Amino acid sequence: MEGDFIKINRWLQPLSWLYGLGVRFRNTLFDIGILKSRSFSVPVISVGNITVGGTGKTPHVEYLITLLQREKRVAVLSRGYKRKSHGFHIADAKSTARTIGDEPFQMKQKFPKVTVAVDKDRVQGIELLNRQQPAIDVILLDDAFQHRYVKPGINILLVDYHRLIIYDTLLPAGRLREPLTGKNRADIVIITKCPRDLKPMEYRIITKAMDLYPYQDIFFTTLEYGELMPMFNSEGSLTTLDDLRLQHVLLLTGIASPRQMKEDLTPFAASLSTLSFPDHHDFQQKDIDRLSHEFADLPSPKCIITTEKDAARIIPLQGLSQEIKNHIYILPVHISFMQDQEEKFNEKILGYVRKNSRDSILAKGKDDHKPEDGHCSGNRPGAISFRDN
């Protein structure tokens, strides 16, 4: 497993050692209290990783949004990576991928009733959200595992199945942002992008190798795909992955780790080729030209498939030919839990938010001051009871 997934540059190990000294020193300052981590009265759930590269943060945050918005008012706070604005912003109808970042823009498009905000300073972002949106019940921090100035109520660490952190090493020789011991801060560890045919023995091997503490829960998720959506032409004829059986597909991505997506789509297509760019790539005219050439070289029938995150940056582009517009599709991605773990995960998240919501704390405060008989003092007729129903 290690040899298949991890490539480490041994020549850079001395630099990794120096980098590790700096990261360990910073973490120690937080651990002994010289640098302060701040807690907040509103429930805060952080989703992040300790590696460079994609681990599936956005679909996991979207899963949490879907779970929580049924009964709670949800806000998402992101850094807004590679946005062209600065400071704190709350997404509105005028927001674009350039002003708030592609991932926050995607979430706002999919969940218009959810408050989506961006701020590099997460403490300031939470303070401003609480001030400007006091009715918010829970805040989801996107990509904030290393942002230790905030102490979340639940810290979720995502680990890519294809690059398990237990076999990795620190930057720049490897892709770890901090030493492996950083995983100990997680309340929940999720192994993401797992193959659907993962064997029971592999679950056990990975669980044991992760060497988690008893207070930490481990879950496994895999990628699932929604229906194909035409990016420009609303009359596009492709709908499901089964419709790709005769299609020669060009998979266009600007994400950190397209490997699992490529493996999942290959069995459905007549052929599949890839055009991959770095994560959060800012598409330019030269990229459009390259896309046009790659697409022209494919035999017919053919189509282009891309992700929701990439679509946020592609749609505003000028210069796309009408042929490409007629044949480019968005493939939505979401996650599903394996080993029948979904209910356990949901209960853990909902239980924390319900217990720590403002309404629950307010009710608890009233209970703490109630008379022992459970009624208001004086036992007046019609007095309000504070006893739980």
Side-chain angles (χ1 to χ4, degrees):
M1 182 178 295
E2 176 181 0
D4 292 339
F5 299 157
I6 305 299
K7 293 181 180 180
I8 293 173
N9 190 330
R10 303 296 179 185
W11 295 102
L12 295 176
Q13 287 283 21
L15 294 178
S16 294
W17 184 79
L18 292 174
Y19 172 81
L21 280 180
V23 176
R24 288 184 178 93
F25 179 69
R26 177 180 183 270
N27 280 336
T28 299
L29 294 180
F30 277 104
D31 294 338
I32 65 179
I34 293 178
L35 294 179
K36 305 294 183 182
S37 298
R38 182 172 168 186
S39 299
F40 292 86
S41 58
V42 63
V44 176
I45 300 173
S46 171
V47 180
N49 57 34
I50 61 172
T51 56
V52 175
T55 52
K57 291 185 296 293
T58 300
H60 283 80
V61 172
E62 290 180 348
Y63 180 93
L64 290 170
I65 293 172
T66 302
L67 173 67
L68 291 165
Q69 72 173 356
R70 300 168 189 165
E71 59 179 75
K72 300 295 181 182
R73 289 155 294 196
V74 180
V76 178
L77 178 61
S78 173
R79 175 185 176 184
Y81 185 64
K82 284 200 172 182
R83 62 189 169 109
K84 303 303 180 183
S85 61
H86 301 281
F88 177 80
H89 289 275
I90 293 181
D92 57 26
K94 297 180 180 179
S95 298
T96 66
R98 293 180 65 84
T99 59
I100 62 172
D102 49 13
E103 291 162 341
F105 178 75
Q106 173 186 321
M107 285 185 270
K108 187 61 181 178
Q109 292 293 105
K110 293 178 73 172
F111 305 97
K113 294 183 180 180
V114 169
T115 300
V116 176
V118 292
D119 197 333
K120 184 178 180 180
D121 184 336
R122 307 303 172 88
V123 172
Q124 172 180 276
I126 294 174
E127 289 175 340
L128 292 173
L129 273 173
N130 280 329
R131 192 180 310 159
Q132 297 181 24
Q133 305 275 346
I136 287 172
D137 295 310
V138 56
I139 296 175
L140 305 178
L141 293 184
D142 179 25
D143 195 13
F145 196 84
Q146 270 82 50
H147 198 95
R148 295 195 61 182
Y149 289 101
V150 175
K151 186 176 182 180
I154 291 184
N155 218 354
I156 300 176
L157 174 65
L158 305 183
V159 177
D160 188 343
Y161 169 86
H162 297 287
R163 195 173 180 101
L164 295 173
I165 57 176
I166 49 178
Y167 303 128
D168 213 336
T169 193
L170 287 168
L171 291 166
R175 293 173 64 183
L176 291 183
R177 296 174 177 174
E178 62 175 291
L180 186 59
T181 53
K183 67 183 174 65
N184 298 340
R185 298 198 307 274
D187 302 291
I188 294 173
V189 175
I190 302 179
I191 310 299
T192 69
K193 303 181 183 180
C194 295
R196 293 181 184 83
D197 59 353
L198 200 63
K199 305 281 191 300
M201 179 62 72
E202 291 183 90
Y203 289 114
R204 293 193 289 271
I205 291 173
I206 294 173
T207 299
K208 183 176 180 180
M210 286 298 295
D211 192 27
L212 301 179
Y213 285 101
Y215 63 83
Q216 296 176 295
D217 291 308
I218 187 168
F219 297 88
F220 295 80
T221 61
T222 188
L223 297 180
E224 301 285 353
Y225 303 97
E227 290 190 348
L228 292 165
M229 301 183 298
M231 186 180 293
F232 296 101
N233 180 7
S234 60
E235 298 180 358
S237 59
L238 304 179
T239 304
T240 68
L241 293 183
D242 287 329
D243 294 331
L244 300 178
R245 297 294 180 187
L246 301 178
Q247 295 284 326
H248 298 275
V249 176
L250 176 61
L251 178 61
L252 171 64
T253 60
I255 59 178
S257 181
R259 172 176 173 170
Q260 190 62 50
M261 193 172 186
K262 179 182 177 181
E263 290 180 0
D264 291 340
L265 293 186
T266 297
F268 287 96
S271 69
L272 187 139
S273 55
T274 60
L275 181 56
S276 300
F277 296 92
D279 198 16
H280 303 279
H281 182 68
D282 187 11
F283 291 98
Q284 304 293 328
Q285 183 59 49
K286 62 180 181 179
D287 303 318
I288 298 174
D289 294 340
R290 184 178 172 190
L291 172 62
S292 299
H293 289 307
E294 295 271 357
F295 186 65
D297 288 342
L298 289 179
S300 296
K302 56 188 176 180
C303 68
I304 302 168
I305 292 179
T306 192
T307 68
E308 293 173 290
K309 188 169 82 168
D310 292 312
R313 285 172 278 120
I314 294 172
I315 290 174
L317 291 177
Q318 303 295 319
L320 289 172
S321 69
Q322 191 59 47
E323 182 184 18
I324 286 181
K325 288 184 176 181
N326 289 342
H327 292 87
I328 187 167
Y329 291 81
I330 303 168
L331 182 61
V333 177
H334 59 273
I335 61 106
S336 65
F337 283 84
M338 307 174 78
Q339 292 188 305
D340 298 319
Q341 294 179 314
E342 182 173 2
E343 184 176 352
K344 178 183 176 181
F345 178 84
N346 292 354
E347 288 177 352
K348 189 172 184 70
I349 297 298
L350 290 171
Y352 159 71
V353 174
R354 289 166 179 163
K355 182 178 179 180
N356 294 278
S357 67
R358 289 187 175 98
D359 292 341
S360 297
I361 293 173
L362 198 60
K364 186 177 184 298
K366 292 180 179 180
D367 277 341
D368 289 343
H369 292 88
K370 69 184 179 182
E372 289 188 5
D373 64 358
H375 295 278
C376 293
S377 58
N379 292 320
R380 292 177 286 104
I384 300 174
S385 170
F386 293 124
R387 195 182 302 277
D388 292 335
N389 293 325

